[in-house]
């Protein structure tokens, strides 16, 4: 039985990845941060009594700021695969807390790689990189596109990207970067723009809210479906040799398009409910991200299947159900 360790297991990607690996027969260990409130809603359905025979999902307290704990976890668990998804992952927030973002999202990767070196175990390491590292580089962006980060988050992810490559080349670690473009689902955090839009559309339809405040409606992103993207993570670690891959749909759409689809899905006119709030604009904007995933199609046999309109619709439907409305019922 293979063992996997996932940082950021309580997030959208971490929860889908844990499900995927358990379905493949892995023993899965997740790192969670201690908090005064419960933050494990996305993975509660995976819990069983750890002493019950057949239990294959375990959680451990840890923090990417604590190298001692990380090294101990890697040594004691001795995972065959490590999926490093943990980060301060909100781009706009990174402008407000740049030092913390650089420490957790950048130095956190260095600490994980050092934990592997210090523990002496043989493992395969996946680093969750981001399309934000391309910043102002013209679309489409591929593995050969120069990095031009435009936020503290992107700078941190660029540092993590190069650190992963450095440890692969300097120490012979099996370490890969998955350069994932935006990917969404009903499990996406409520402050990320597509989920913010679909949740607001459902709540306005239910009479629970009246107005949705957004920033740049013309920003364009390459949005895919998160459960498909975690499959790509796993495929990267099954290769004979480590490499880096862009994971994307190859299409870009604007925030405005997402708003129109979401509000149309619930029968509302967005012009009556959406207002622009300058607080949500970034100090340095990224206008257009669109990935070229031809290498992933060719070398790991991965491509996206869920299109943008279908993605927004399924998220709206999930948010309607959350407020007690059956999708498709007037």
């Amino acid at each position: 039985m293979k063992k996997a360790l996932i940082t950021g297991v309580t997030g959208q990607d971490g929860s889908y990845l844990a499900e995927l690996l358990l379905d493949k027969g892995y023993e899965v260990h997740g790192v969670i941060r201690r908090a005064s409130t419960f933050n494990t809603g996305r993975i509660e359905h995976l819990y069983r009594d750890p002493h019950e025979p057949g239990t294959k999902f375990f959680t451990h307290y840890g923090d990417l700021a604590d190298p001692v704990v990380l090294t101990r976890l890697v040594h004691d668990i001795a995972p065959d695969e490590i999926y490093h998804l943990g980060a301060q992952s909100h781009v706009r927030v990174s402008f407000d807390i740049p030092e913390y973002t650089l420490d957790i999202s950048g130095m956190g990767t260095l600490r994980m790689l050092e934990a592997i070196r210090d523990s002496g175990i043989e493992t395969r390491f996946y680093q969750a990189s981001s399309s934000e590292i391309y910043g102002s580089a013209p679309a489409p962006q591929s593995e050969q596109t120069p990095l031009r980060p435009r936020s503290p988050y992107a700078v941190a992810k660029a540092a993590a990207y190069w650190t992963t490559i450095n440890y692969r080349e300097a120490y012979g670690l099996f370490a890969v970067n998955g350069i994932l473009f935006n990917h969404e689902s009903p499990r996406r955090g409520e402050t990320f723009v597509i989920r913010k839009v679909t949740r607001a559309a459902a709540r306005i339809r239910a009479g629970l809210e009246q107005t949705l405040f957004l920033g740049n409606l013309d920003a364009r992103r390459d949005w895919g479906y998160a459960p498909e993207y975690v499959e790509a993570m796993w495929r990267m670690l099954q290769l004979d040799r480590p490499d880096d891959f862009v994971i994307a749909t190859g299409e870009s759409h604007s925030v405005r398009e997402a708003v129109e689809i979401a509000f149309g899905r619930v029968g509302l006119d967005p012009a009556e409910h959406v207002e622009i709030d300058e607080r949500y604009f970034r100090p340095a904007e990224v206008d257009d991200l669109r990935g070229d995933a031809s290498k992933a199609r060719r070398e790991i046999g991965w491509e996206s299947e869920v299109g943008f309109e279908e993605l927004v619709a399924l998220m709206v439907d999930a948010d309607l159900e959350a407020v007690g409305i059956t999708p498709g019922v007037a």
Side-chain angles (χ1 to χ4, degrees):
M1 182 188 300
K2 281 188 175 182
K3 288 191 286 185
L5 176 65
I6 303 172
T7 69
V9 73
T10 59
Q12 169 189 255
D13 291 5
S15 64
Y16 283 124
L17 179 61
E19 290 175 350
L20 175 75
L21 296 176
L22 288 168
D23 287 344
K24 291 182 179 295
Y26 281 63
E27 178 180 300
V28 177
H29 297 258
V31 181
I32 61 176
R33 286 179 298 157
R34 179 73 179 90
S36 59
T37 57
F38 290 111
N39 59 356
T40 55
R42 296 183 182 94
I43 57 173
E44 284 179 355
H45 64 291
L46 302 177
Y47 280 112
R48 293 172 59 182
D49 184 338
H51 303 293
E52 181 182 339
T55 297
K56 294 195 292 183
F57 180 68
F58 305 89
T59 57
H60 311 264
Y61 286 120
D63 196 301
L64 294 176
D66 189 339
V68 174
V69 170
L70 296 177
T71 301
R72 184 172 70 241
L73 286 173
V74 170
H75 177 271
D76 292 350
I77 296 168
D80 300 282
E81 298 168 4
I82 295 174
Y83 296 87
H84 178 44
L85 313 184
Q88 189 301 99
S89 58
H90 199 285
V91 179
R92 177 61 189 85
V93 170
S94 76
F95 286 98
D96 299 323
I97 50 172
E99 183 176 350
Y100 176 79
T101 300
L102 286 165
D103 183 45
I104 297 304
S105 303
M107 288 296 295
T109 300
L110 175 66
R111 294 180 187 115
M112 286 299 303
L113 288 163
E114 277 294 284
I116 293 171
R117 280 217 312 140
D118 290 346
S119 68
I121 69 164
E122 289 263 344
T123 190
R124 297 186 169 206
F125 178 81
Y126 172 87
Q127 158 62 18
S129 193
S130 165
S131 59
E132 289 287 334
I133 64 178
Y134 295 126
S136 59
Q141 295 93 7
S142 72
E143 294 84 2
Q144 285 73 48
T145 300
L147 309 190
R148 296 178 181 175
R150 297 267 289 170
S151 66
Y153 170 79
V155 169
K157 282 294 186 179
Y161 169 86
W162 284 116
T163 301
T164 300
I165 292 173
N166 180 249
Y167 272 64
R168 180 170 75 214
E169 295 177 348
Y171 304 114
L173 298 185
F174 193 109
V176 308
N177 284 293
I179 310 168
L180 273 58
F181 281 61
N182 293 64
H183 46 287
E184 317 295 319
S185 76
R187 297 184 190 175
R188 185 61 144 155
E190 295 170 358
T191 61
F192 291 88
V193 67
I194 298 294
R195 181 71 200 290
K196 183 178 178 179
V197 168
T198 63
R199 181 174 182 270
R203 291 179 64 81
I204 292 171
R205 170 68 175 79
L208 301 174
E209 296 178 7
Q210 291 298 318
T211 306
L212 167 62
F213 295 96
L214 293 172
N216 183 8
L217 297 183
D218 296 318
R220 301 183 66 86
R221 296 291 185 271
D222 185 327
W223 276 295
Y225 186 40
E228 295 179 347
Y229 283 48
V230 300
E231 169 76 21
M233 299 177 188
W234 175 79
R235 291 191 183 198
M236 290 180 211
L237 292 195
Q238 312 314 307
L239 292 170
D240 292 332
R241 61 178 182 81
D243 206 347
D244 308 315
F245 293 90
V246 162
I247 302 299
T249 71
E251 299 180 4
S252 71
H253 298 270
S254 68
V255 176
R256 191 183 307 276
E257 290 176 71
V259 170
E260 292 169 352
I261 294 169
F263 278 77
R265 185 79 174 173
V266 299
L268 295 173
D269 181 356
E272 298 179 359
H273 299 282
V274 177
E275 294 185 14
I276 302 302
D277 188 331
E278 292 187 358
R279 291 177 301 172
Y280 295 114
F281 281 84
R282 300 180 187 179
E285 189 58 77
V286 173
D287 296 321
D288 189 11
L289 294 175
R290 174 167 53 90
D292 176 0
S294 56
K295 180 180 176 181
R297 287 194 298 273
R298 183 174 65 251
E299 298 191 17
I300 63 173
W302 182 91
E303 60 183 322
S304 65
E305 296 181 2
V306 176
F308 181 67
E309 188 166 347
E310 181 183 356
L311 171 64
V312 175
L314 71 85
M315 291 175 66
V316 170
D317 289 352
D319 283 322
L320 283 171
E321 291 176 350
V323 294
I325 297 176
T326 302
V329 177

